[in-house]
């Protein structure tokens, strides 16, 4: 159409900013454990005319006409989710992880009722009942934590708290948890008090799909996940369960919380799930863990204090207290060197959440670029050099590392870019 110009013509400002972000993503080492690179195929499916369509309801029961194609796309996404995770029911409509979790509350709790989740400072997510979240404001939250001596979730405390407080809903999983979640142990505790167990696998969904982390299926009543972290799909979320809870969850998502699903995202999720069902993805998931262990070892050998001493998954949480630098200035210096991380609280942090003691890193994105243990050791070396340089205000070293990072990123092109 003559008056339907390309983005670069219609809005050069935004087009240039998108191009700049693409260059930034290509030229930096993405160590943020909740981020990844989607494939070209996922990217393509996400940016389509499916964004034009309203589809309130579910396949076969919609409130708008014209669903001949959308019903097929959503059904494919659901069937693929069921096959990849081995679940009886899947809902692919939640807009993102936080609304997906809110749908779990909507399905099982009334306002004011009790939820138990891992506290934010111990690596839990805001939506597991933290005070500043709607889930903490509208429900009564009790929080378990990690043991100070091991940095691991304190299952004795989980059981004691559960028996004393008798929450109706228990969340397991988190956002800064470097160790395997013991789903059978949580299930036993939930069963003992008749609580609903929700496993939030937002961070580890790709590892679960690829067999690199135990699955919560058969233990959790409900499984919630984002689709854009280790699962390598577009920004979105899914809820999964046995047939028993299917209706309650579907009703909570729509009409309980949401209107029309984001059909372009649903298509991207379907493509990502197809990719996640391959042997190649299994190898990817295993490599993510191998790389995280290599990165953890590289850091530990350079004197870094790792929460829980290491990692079982894709994530490493570093307590910088012994290095005499806070998380924020370290993360900022690392970013100047082209190493993208996020500063994070560590368990029992004595500093404030906006200026905490730790840095959180992970290997999903670097593994998507095809990097391996040798590159992880190089990254650990740069990490150490930059942290020491930041303490001395040595910008020259940071600039030198920036150049070395560029040499490496040029050798490992990221999926979906360029
Ligand atoms: C990322 C995350 C979420 C929230 O996902 P958003 O898409 O950012 O809303 C929920 N739970 C856990 C454990 C997460 O890591």
């Amino acid at each position: 159409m003559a008056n339907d110009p390309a983005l670069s013509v219609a809005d050069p400002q935004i087009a240039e900013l998108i191009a700049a972000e693409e260059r930034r993503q290509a030229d930096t080492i993405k160590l943020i454990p909740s981020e990844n690179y989607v494939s070209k195929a996922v990217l393509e499916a996400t940016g389509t005319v499916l964004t034009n369509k309203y589809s309130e309801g579910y396949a076969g029961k919609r409130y708008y006409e014209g669903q001949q194609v959308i019903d097929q796309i959503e059904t494919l996404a659901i069937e693929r989710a069921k096959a990849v995770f081995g679940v009886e029911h899947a809902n692919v409509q939640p807009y993102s992880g936080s609304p997906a979790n809110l749908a779990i509350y909507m399905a099982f709790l009334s306002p004011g009722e009790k939820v138990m989740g891992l506290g934010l400072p111990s690596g839990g997510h805001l939506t597991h009942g933290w005070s500043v979240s709607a889930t903490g404001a509208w429900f009564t939250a009790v929080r378990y934590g990690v043991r100070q001596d091991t940095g691991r979730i304190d299952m004795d405390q989980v059981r004691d708290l559960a028996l004393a407080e008798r929450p109706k809903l228990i969340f397991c999983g988190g956002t800064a948890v470097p160790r395997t979640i013991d789903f059978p142990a949580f299930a036993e505790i939930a069963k003992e008090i008749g609580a609903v167990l929700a496993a939030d696998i937002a961070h580890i969904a790709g590892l679960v799909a690829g067999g690199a982390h135990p699955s919560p299926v058969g233990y959790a009543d409900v499984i919630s996940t984002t689709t854009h972290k280790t699962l390598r799909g577009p920004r979105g979320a899914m809820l999964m369960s046995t047939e028993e809870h299917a209706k309650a969850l579907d009703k909570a998502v729509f009409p309980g919380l949401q209107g029309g699903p984001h059909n372009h995202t649903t298509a991207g999720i379907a493509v990502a799930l197809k990719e996640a069902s391959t042997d190649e993805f299994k190898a990817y998931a295993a490599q993510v863990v191998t790389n995280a262990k290599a990165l953890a070892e590289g850091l530990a050998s350079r004197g870094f204090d790792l929460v829980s001493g290491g990692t079982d998954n894709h994530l490493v949480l570093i307590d910088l207290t012994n290095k005499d630098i806070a998380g924020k200035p370290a993360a900022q210096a690392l970013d100047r060197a082209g190493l993208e991380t996020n500063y994070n609280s560590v368990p029992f942090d004595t500093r404030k959440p906006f200026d905490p003691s730790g840095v959180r890193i992970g290997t999903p994105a670097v593994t998507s670029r095809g990097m391996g243990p040798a590159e992880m050791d190089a990254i650990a070396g740069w990490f150490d050099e930059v942290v020491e340089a930041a303490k001395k205000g040595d910008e020259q070293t940071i600039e030198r590392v920036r150049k070395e990072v560029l040499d490496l990123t040029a050798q490992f092109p990221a999926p979906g870019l360029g």
Side-chain angles (χ1 to χ4, degrees):
M1 229 164 58
N3 69 345
D4 192 8
L7 179 64
S8 57
V9 176
D11 194 338
Q13 239 181 327
I14 287 292
E16 272 162 33
L17 288 169
I18 292 172
E21 171 63 10
E22 187 169 336
R23 275 196 305 281
R24 192 195 64 79
Q25 289 189 18
D27 293 348
T28 53
I29 295 179
K30 192 195 274 294
L31 292 169
I32 295 175
S34 51
E35 294 185 3
N36 214 328
Y37 301 97
V38 298
S39 67
K40 197 159 261 179
V42 167
L43 212 51
E44 209 177 306
T46 308
T48 58
V49 295
L50 300 179
T51 194
N52 295 339
K53 187 69 197 129
Y54 244 110
S55 310
E56 283 184 356
Y58 293 101
K61 265 190 294 179
R62 305 277 191 190
Y63 291 79
Y64 293 77
E65 291 310 310
Q67 310 296 345
Q68 295 86 345
V69 179
I70 299 298
D71 275 4
Q72 295 181 60
I73 290 171
E74 190 173 320
T75 302
L76 258 178
I78 289 168
E79 291 308 318
R80 287 175 183 173
K82 284 157 70 172
V84 165
F85 289 95
V87 290
E88 292 174 9
H89 177 70
N91 185 310
V92 297
Q93 293 192 5
Y95 298 142
S96 216
S98 304
N101 284 349
L102 198 55
I104 296 175
Y105 291 81
M106 177 97 194
F108 298 107
L109 263 55
S110 297
E113 286 190 316
K114 209 172 270 179
V115 58
M116 184 166 93
L118 180 63
L120 195 74
S122 295
H125 194 260
L126 285 163
T127 55
H128 298 183
W130 195 243
S131 47
V132 296
S133 154
T135 61
W138 298 343
F139 301 91
T140 305
V142 289
R143 294 156 194 127
Y144 57 91
V146 296
R147 289 177 58 105
Q148 194 148 19
D149 55 346
T150 61
R152 294 175 187 240
I153 291 169
D154 188 344
M155 292 310 296
D156 294 333
Q157 187 202 16
V158 173
R159 182 162 183 272
D160 291 348
L161 255 182
L163 290 173
E165 298 281 350
R166 306 195 83 82
K168 212 168 161 186
L169 172 65
I170 300 176
F171 266 96
C172 61
T175 189
V177 180
R179 295 295 180 175
T180 303
I181 306 290
D182 190 348
F183 297 121
F186 272 101
E188 205 168 296
I189 292 164
K191 200 173 210 175
E192 209 176 333
I193 60 161
V196 171
L197 178 65
D200 182 347
I201 60 168
H203 260 260
I204 54 172
L207 305 185
V208 172
H213 186 289
S215 169
V217 176
Y219 299 105
D221 299 288
V222 191
I223 300 164
S224 135
T225 184
T226 56
T227 47
H228 49 272
K229 299 180 183 175
T230 49
L231 196 56
R232 229 157 64 179
R235 309 199 79 77
M238 305 193 295
L239 288 167
M240 298 177 280
S241 69
T242 53
E243 207 44 59
E244 184 192 351
H245 301 301
K247 243 201 185 122
L249 286 173
D250 283 355
K251 261 180 62 187
V253 173
F254 175 85
L257 282 170
Q258 298 188 171
H262 294 179
N263 297 318
H264 53 299
T265 302
T266 305
I269 291 173
V271 175
L273 288 166
K274 183 168 193 241
E275 293 171 356
S277 70
T278 59
D279 286 341
E280 207 183 329
F281 194 86
K282 271 198 187 74
Y284 165 72
Q287 191 63 48
V288 167
V289 177
T290 301
N291 282 350
K293 286 184 189 293
L295 189 54
E297 273 164 35
L299 289 166
S301 72
R302 288 169 176 89
F304 284 92
D305 179 12
L306 310 182
V307 172
S308 83
T311 181
D312 298 327
N313 54 28
H314 63 300
L315 185 148
V316 179
L317 187 57
I318 305 154
D319 183 346
L320 291 168
T321 308
N322 70 337
K323 295 281 186 181
D324 291 320
I325 186 169
K328 198 172 187 170
Q332 287 168 341
L334 288 162
D335 194 52
R336 289 200 295 284
L339 299 165
E340 197 184 4
T341 67
N342 73 276
Y343 55 89
N344 213 93
S345 290
V346 296
F348 309 99
D349 210 326
T350 50
R351 303 178 65 92
K352 289 173 301 236
F354 206 66
D355 184 22
S357 300
V359 166
R360 188 183 71 147
I361 60 175
T363 53
V366 290
T367 308
S368 290
R369 292 181 87 139
M371 293 183 190
E375 288 73 38
M376 297 309 110
D377 195 57
I379 291 170
W382 288 327
F383 196 100
D384 186 30
E385 280 189 277
V386 171
V387 164
E388 291 308 316
K391 280 157 50 176
K392 290 182 280 192
D394 172 8
E395 284 301 314
Q396 242 174 343
T397 295
I398 293 174
E399 264 169 50
R400 196 203 75 233
V401 172
R402 179 74 192 102
K403 291 201 183 86
E404 291 174 6
V405 164
L406 277 173
D407 286 340
L408 187 73
T409 52
Q411 293 169 51
F412 292 90
L417 306 190

